[in-house]
């Protein structure tokens, strides 16, 4: 039957085989990157020893190799994976909200807004209290993300053209960065050392507390986003259609903004602003899956973001060792060309 | 009592500003209601208020006694589905995907389609003759195909009412008829009520059970097509100063040529229509005669000719009629004989007179 064969093409084994293939592929790449990340660095440690250190906890508290693996490479790699996933997810949500594949937390100035608030928190608040907890940093970053998102939305109300919205986002980004630089200039030296690396984006210096807090926050948010796959799929069709399917659009809009700002803010609080992951990863994932259905794109984007950031962090760490590159340097080299291709394609249509 | 869908003193508009007030419409289940009226009159505004895309300013609408104003979007989605003018966004969507979104109100919390849902999606696609489009990219199909897919989507939502905003715009005549006949059979077979705005008044007349005329601040007329499609109502609704609405054909006529007529057309039995239309295009004013009032020529001539010498149906032509026609012919420089059946004595006499006066320029007499 003609009908049944068509049914299979779209809804049957063919599509599912493709989805499975993508997920299995991502899992394999992720596994390889885990091994590769732990295995490389300025100090060479043989694979056999690594296995012993990880699985048997051999040499705990004594050897340098143990400390390098457990205190440096592992936490760094895990945060890169978790935060990379969060960035890709934030990008996907923003693209859904704006109905534009080129939206993302970095280009819309949301990361820069978070950065500004975290910088203020670190410099001004630190001069009054002794330490700032991760949770407070996340809260500050979330507030900054929401405020710059507010400006983007204000711009979006009067600007119908999507490309102009991006220009508005980039301008907001410049303003926030300028203010951050201004604050940094007048900060105490000790603070600057902290701020300098972070404000350019980096996964270095993560400890197990960071791993724990960021993982809990990000994975919980991921679960919420995944459970919202159905209304997100309706929202992708456009607001009017979403509403006619029974979605309360006004409420859902706020939910989308909160979730994407929260994810982008969390990433910025821990690793600083990281460019292009949010745009490039969901795009590649959709191409691989040949669908934009949230139920598969959400988990695949998360895994894709993790893989992408693990790879980029590996390059940032190893390419010019012992000098480290900022993570955005690497993500931009891979991500920006993808965005340019997307812009050109969009123009052609 | 008894009405399935009704609006009661409904006022609609944007941002609290009333555009149209006191809308009172009542239709029964399975009826087709068309909204007609000039561009920008507020047809879409009314439709959007019924579907809750716009907040109603005052009044309410009821579906089988349930207030639309107080209904949740979820409940409304199970009763009303839409075909909007707005483009469907979303990337990498096949036509199947688009139709499947119609099942949204019925799927589980992750939105996964059951086998039954899938059957319904394909049934809806068969209903609009679009099964072969299932695997095609939604953004690369033609306008006609797109409207059919959107209609399949609306059908698949298993609504009681389908609301369509100008579903026939951009469609060629074949696809217009196809779309409307699907709507017709949906309404008669499944009792689905259809509410839509239409630009084509000729089609609105033929498909609708009820018609609403939207113009100005209120609904200017509401009723059956027989009540609405009258020359005065339609010309007034669209503010047609030039041109006119032809009741017999349910279509519009371009304005009659201005000035003093110098051409006389002898016509009968439909032979005159082409000549009348040609003269209209050449902007030559003309007289026509002698035509029975049940002749199809009469229904065109009355809108296009300066004056028609006509005779009531089933009466004898008189000498007086001949004199009237002859008098008009004397004012003319040329006479065209468009054709009449053999044995129409009075027309034969008119033609002879024209020939005798040397005014006959073309003749197809005695067909």
């Amino acid at each position: 039957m003609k009908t049944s064969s068509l049914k299979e093409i779209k809804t049957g084994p063919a599509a599912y085989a493709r989805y499975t293939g993508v997920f299995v592929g991502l899992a394999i790449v992720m596994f390889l990157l885990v091994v590769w990340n732990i295995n490389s660095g300025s100090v060479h440690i043989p694979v056999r020893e690594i296995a012993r250190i990880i699985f048997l906890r051999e040499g705990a508290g004594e050897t340098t190799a143990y400390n390098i693996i457990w205190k440096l490479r592992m936490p760094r790699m895990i945060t890169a994976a978790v935060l990379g996933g969060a960035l890709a997810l934030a990008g996907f949500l923003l693209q859904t909200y704006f109905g534009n594949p080129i939206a993302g937390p970095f280009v819309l100035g949301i990361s820069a807004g978070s950065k500004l608030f975290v910088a203020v928190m670190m410099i001004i608040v630190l001069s009054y209290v002794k330490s700032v907890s991760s949770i407070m940093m996340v809260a500050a970053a979330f507030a900054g993300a929401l405020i710059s998102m507010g400006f983007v939305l204000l711009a979006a109300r009067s600007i119908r053209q999507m490309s102009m919205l991006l220009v508005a986002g980039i301008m907001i980004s410049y303003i926030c960065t300028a203010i951050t630089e201004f604050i940094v200039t007048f900060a105490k030296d000790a603070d600057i050392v902290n701020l300098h690396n972070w404000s350019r984006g980096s996964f270095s210096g993560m400890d197990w507390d960071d791993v724990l807090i960021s993982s809990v926050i990000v994975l919980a948010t991921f679960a919420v986003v995944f459970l919202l796959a159905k209304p997100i799929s309706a929202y992708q069709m456009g607001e009017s259609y979403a509403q006619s399917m029974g979605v309360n659009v006004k409420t859902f809009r706020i939910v989308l903004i909160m979730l994407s700002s929260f994810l982008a803010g969390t990433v910025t609080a821990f690793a600083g602003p990281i460019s292009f992951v949010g745009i490039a990863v969901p795009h590649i994932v959709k191409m691989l899956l040949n669908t934009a259905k949230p139920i598969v794109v959400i988990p695949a984007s998360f895994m894709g973001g993790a893989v992408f950031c693990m790879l980029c962090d590996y390059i940032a760490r190893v390419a010019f060792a012992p000098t480290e590159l900022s993570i955005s340097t690497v993500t931009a080299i891979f991500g920006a060309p993808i965005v340019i291709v997307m812009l050109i394609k969009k123009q052609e249509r | 009592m008894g009405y399935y869908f009704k609006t009661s003193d409904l006022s609609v508009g944007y941002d609290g500003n009333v555009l149209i007030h006191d809308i009172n419409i009542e239709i029964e289940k399975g009826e087709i209601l068309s909204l007609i009226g000039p561009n920008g009159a507020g047809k879409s505004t009314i439709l959007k208020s019924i579907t809750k895309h716009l907040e109603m300013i005052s009044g309410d609408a009821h579906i089988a006694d349930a207030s639309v104003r107080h209904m949740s979007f979820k409940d409304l989605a199970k009763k009303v589905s839409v075909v909007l003018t707005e483009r469907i966004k979303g990337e990498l969507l096949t036509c199947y995907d688009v139709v499947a979104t119609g099942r949204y109100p019925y799927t589980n919390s992750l939105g996964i389609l059951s086998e039954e849902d899938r059957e319904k999606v394909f049934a809806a696609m068969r209903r609009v003759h679009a099964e072969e489009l299932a695997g095609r990219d939604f953004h690369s199909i033609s306008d006609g195909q797109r409207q059919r897919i959107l209609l399949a989507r609306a059908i698949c939502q298993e609504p009681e009412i389908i609301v369509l905003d100008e579903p026939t715009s951009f469609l060629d005549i074949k696809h217009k008829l196809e779309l409307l006949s699907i709507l017709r059979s949906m309404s008669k077979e499944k009792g689905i009520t259809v509410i839509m705005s239409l630009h084509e008044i000729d089609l609105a007349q033929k498909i609708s059970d009820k018609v609403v005329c939207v113009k100005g601040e209120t609904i200017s007329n509401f009723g059956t097509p027989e009540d609405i499609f009258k020359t005065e109502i339609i010309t007034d609704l669209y503010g047609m100063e030039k041109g006119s609405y032809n009741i017999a054909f349910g279509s519009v006529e371009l304005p009659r040529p201005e000035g003093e007529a110098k051409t006389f057309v002898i016509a009968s039995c439909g032979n005159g229509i082409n000549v009348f239309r040609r003269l209209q295009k050449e902007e030559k004013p003309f007289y026509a005669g002698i035509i029975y009032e049940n002749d199809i020529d009469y229904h065109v001539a009355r809108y296009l000719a300066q004056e028609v010498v006509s005779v009531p149906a089933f009466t004898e032509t008189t000498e007086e009629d001949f004199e009237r026609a002859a008098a008009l012919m004397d004012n003319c420089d040329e006479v065209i004989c468009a054709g009449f059946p053999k044995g129409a004595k009075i027309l034969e006499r008119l033609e002879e007179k024209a020939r005798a006066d040397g005014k006959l320029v073309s003749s197809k007499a005695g067909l």
Side-chain angles (χ1 to χ4, degrees):
Chain A
M1 276 283 296
K2 201 170 135 201
T3 325
S4 67
S5 67
L6 277 170
K7 220 180 267 187
E8 281 182 9
I9 291 169
K10 197 48 214 177
T11 65
Y16 287 117
R18 184 165 190 155
Y19 302 158
T20 315
V22 171
F23 279 105
V24 170
L26 280 171
I28 293 171
V29 176
M30 192 182 267
F31 175 76
L32 292 176
L33 279 167
V34 168
V35 175
W36 205 15
N37 255 303
I38 295 178
N39 194 21
S40 26
S42 46
V43 178
H44 178 77
I45 307 167
V47 181
R48 279 179 59 127
E49 205 186 328
I50 289 174
R52 281 208 193 122
I53 289 170
I54 291 177
F55 296 112
L56 304 173
R57 300 252 174 169
E58 214 166 70
E62 303 158 20
T63 61
T64 331
Y66 181 91
N67 283 339
I68 287 175
I69 286 174
W70 277 98
K71 294 202 172 147
L72 294 175
R73 291 186 191 169
M74 293 258 285
R76 177 173 181 155
M77 183 190 69
I78 295 170
T79 37
V82 167
L83 298 180
L87 269 179
L89 212 53
F92 175 69
L93 292 177
L94 288 169
Q95 286 146 27
T96 306
Y97 181 85
F98 289 106
N100 183 333
I102 304 161
F106 194 83
V107 285
L108 289 176
I110 296 164
S111 298
S114 298
K115 179 170 91 166
L116 171 62
F117 270 58
V118 174
V120 169
M121 175 76 103
M122 278 167 93
I123 292 168
I124 298 174
V125 178
L126 263 182
S127 57
Y128 296 101
V129 286
K130 274 199 178 133
S131 67
V132 179
S133 72
S134 308
I135 301 289
M136 281 173 76
M137 299 268 278
V138 171
F142 180 48
L146 276 181
I147 285 170
S148 49
M149 185 78 179
F151 281 110
V152 174
L153 292 177
L154 271 182
R157 280 180 69 173
S158 46
I159 301 171
R160 289 268 146 250
Q161 251 181 311
M162 268 323 287
S163 48
M164 285 313 290
L165 184 68
L166 295 187
V167 174
I170 291 165
M171 290 307 132
I172 290 166
S173 187
Y174 273 119
I175 293 167
C176 291
T177 306
I179 302 172
T180 313
E181 298 288 320
F182 180 81
I183 294 170
V184 169
T185 311
F186 291 98
K188 278 182 275 173
D189 288 347
D191 300 327
I192 295 176
V193 177
N194 278 336
L195 266 178
H196 194 68
N197 276 338
W198 169 85
S199 73
R200 296 167 60 211
S202 170
F203 289 116
S204 71
M206 297 291 175
D207 59 26
W208 282 100
D209 279 347
D210 295 327
V211 172
L212 190 70
I213 294 167
S214 61
S215 299
V216 168
I217 292 175
V218 170
L219 293 177
T221 318
F222 168 78
V224 173
V225 173
F226 185 75
L227 291 175
L228 290 176
K230 188 182 171 185
I232 291 173
S233 75
Y235 201 90
Q236 282 178 330
M237 311 276 288
E239 289 197 349
S240 301
Y241 280 102
Q243 189 189 303
S244 78
M245 290 184 233
V247 177
N248 188 332
V249 170
K250 276 183 190 166
T251 316
F252 194 66
R253 242 187 248 161
I254 296 169
V255 170
L256 276 183
I257 290 170
M258 296 299 256
L259 285 172
S260 53
S261 301
F262 190 57
L263 284 166
T266 304
V267 175
T268 310
F270 286 99
I274 298 171
S275 60
F276 295 108
V277 181
I279 303 177
V281 171
H283 178 69
I284 297 168
V285 162
K286 283 179 215 161
M287 290 293 127
L288 289 175
L289 293 166
N290 191 31
T291 183
K293 286 196 192 88
I295 191 106
V296 282
V297 171
I298 288 170
S301 285
F302 192 83
M303 285 178 77
V307 164
F308 189 78
C309 278
M310 281 160 82
L311 177 68
C312 290
D313 187 46
Y314 172 82
I315 295 169
R317 200 160 58 87
V318 174
F320 296 98
T323 311
E324 267 199 28
L325 299 173
S326 84
I327 183 75
S328 283
T329 311
V330 186
T331 54
I333 285 170
F334 288 111
I338 295 172
V339 176
I340 291 168
V341 170
M342 284 166 75
L343 277 170
I344 293 169
K345 263 192 182 170
K346 211 170 175 239
Q347 204 63 40
E348 279 169 359
R349 256 202 298 166
Chain B
M1 173 59 218
Y3 290 108
Y4 177 67
F5 174 84
K6 65 174 186 210
T7 62
S8 34
D9 300 327
L10 177 66
S11 297
V12 301
Y14 289 92
D15 304 322
N17 300 320
V18 177
L19 194 65
I20 304 164
H21 57 82
D22 295 314
I23 304 166
N24 288 294
I25 304 170
E26 291 161 332
I27 49 174
E28 282 167 40
K29 194 168 174 59
E31 282 193 319
I32 295 181
L33 171 73
S34 298
L35 279 68
I36 60 171
N39 283 334
K43 301 189 290 288
S44 296
T45 315
I46 295 177
L47 293 180
K48 281 180 187 160
S49 302
I50 293 171
T51 58
K52 289 186 83 161
H53 282 106
L54 275 179
E55 215 170 306
M56 299 174 189
I57 293 177
S58 65
D60 201 351
H62 287 86
I63 302 171
D65 289 332
S67 155
V68 170
R69 188 187 271 275
H70 297 105
M71 204 180 283
S72 72
F73 291 121
K74 236 181 199 163
D75 292 339
L76 190 66
K78 291 186 182 176
K79 290 189 192 291
V80 179
S81 69
V82 294
V83 174
L84 305 170
T85 46
E86 199 178 299
R87 274 189 56 225
I88 281 215
K89 293 181 179 169
E91 322 149 75
L92 302 169
L93 284 171
T94 62
C95 294
Y96 173 88
D97 293 335
V98 173
V99 178
T101 60
R103 298 305 302 159
Y104 186 96
Y106 306 98
T107 53
N108 64 15
S109 59
L110 281 180
I112 293 163
L113 298 179
S114 68
E115 194 50 48
E116 192 196 345
D117 287 323
R118 257 175 258 166
E119 281 308 321
K120 283 181 175 167
V121 173
F122 276 98
M125 296 191 86
R126 270 196 295 279
R127 195 73 202 67
V128 301
H129 319 298
E131 295 158 278
E132 73 284 354
L133 296 174
R136 293 270 301 278
D137 175 10
F138 178 71
H139 294 294
S140 67
I141 57 175
S142 71
D143 290 332
Q145 292 171 328
R146 187 169 309 138
Q147 284 309 77
R148 272 189 289 159
I149 292 296
L150 289 179
L151 182 59
R153 180 188 163 277
I155 290 170
C156 173
Q157 203 168 325
E158 298 185 321
E160 288 162 34
I161 299 177
I162 298 185
V163 175
L164 305 97
D165 196 358
E166 287 172 16
T168 52
S169 317
F170 308 116
L171 298 190
D172 59 32
I173 190 70
K174 171 184 170 230
H175 289 111
K176 273 180 195 173
L177 294 177
E178 206 171 68
L179 192 84
L180 293 179
S181 61
I182 295 167
L183 287 176
R184 179 91 265 181
S185 57
M186 289 301 300
S187 73
K188 292 309 150 230
E189 287 162 21
K190 299 205 169 173
I192 293 178
T193 308
V194 176
I195 301 174
M196 64 180 158
S197 57
L198 275 181
H199 265 311
E200 299 83 355
I201 48 175
D202 52 331
L203 296 175
Q205 180 186 23
K206 284 156 198 162
I207 192 175
S208 316
D209 296 305
K210 295 280 163 57
V211 179
V212 172
C213 301
V214 185
K215 191 200 181 189
E217 292 175 0
T218 51
I219 296 294
S220 60
N221 280 287
F222 168 59
T224 60
E226 297 83 72
D227 297 334
I228 299 296
F229 288 94
K230 293 179 174 159
T231 307
E232 318 82 70
I233 293 181
I234 297 300
T235 46
D236 176 59
L237 174 64
Y238 286 94
M240 290 195 286
E241 283 157 11
K242 293 178 172 177
S244 51
Y245 176 73
N246 189 329
I247 307 176
F249 300 149
S251 65
V252 287
E253 297 289 358
L254 287 166
R256 76 183 82 216
E258 305 269 345
E260 202 189 335
K262 287 290 168 203
T263 307
F264 191 96
V265 183
I266 305 170
S268 172
C269 299
N271 294 312
I273 292 178
N274 285 336
V275 177
F276 301 152
R277 296 219 188 280
R278 198 188 74 223
L279 290 170
Q280 194 279 332
K281 282 176 213 158
E282 290 170 2
E283 296 196 334
K284 275 188 181 169
F286 65 92
Y287 299 121
I290 299 168
I291 309 175
Y292 277 113
E293 285 173 7
N294 64 344
D295 191 322
I296 189 169
D297 275 348
Y298 176 74
H299 289 288
V300 177
R302 63 185 283 211
Y303 295 105
L304 297 184
Q306 290 291 315
E307 195 178 330
V308 186
V309 182
S310 67
V311 183
F314 306 113
T315 58
E316 291 290 322
T317 50
T318 61
E319 202 48 36
E320 197 188 319
D321 297 323
F322 180 79
E323 290 306 325
R324 263 167 64 211
L328 288 175
M329 203 187 270
D330 286 337
N331 290 337
C332 294
D333 300 334
E334 53 175 17
V335 176
I336 299 170
C337 181
F340 50 83
K342 261 188 186 141
K345 289 268 158 47
I346 197 161
L347 297 182
E348 280 170 3
R349 278 175 62 201
L350 270 180
E351 196 201 358
E352 273 162 30
K353 174 180 158 47
R355 187 171 287 135
D357 295 347
K359 292 179 180 174
L360 192 68
V361 291
S362 74
S363 174
K364 281 186 188 171
L367 289 169

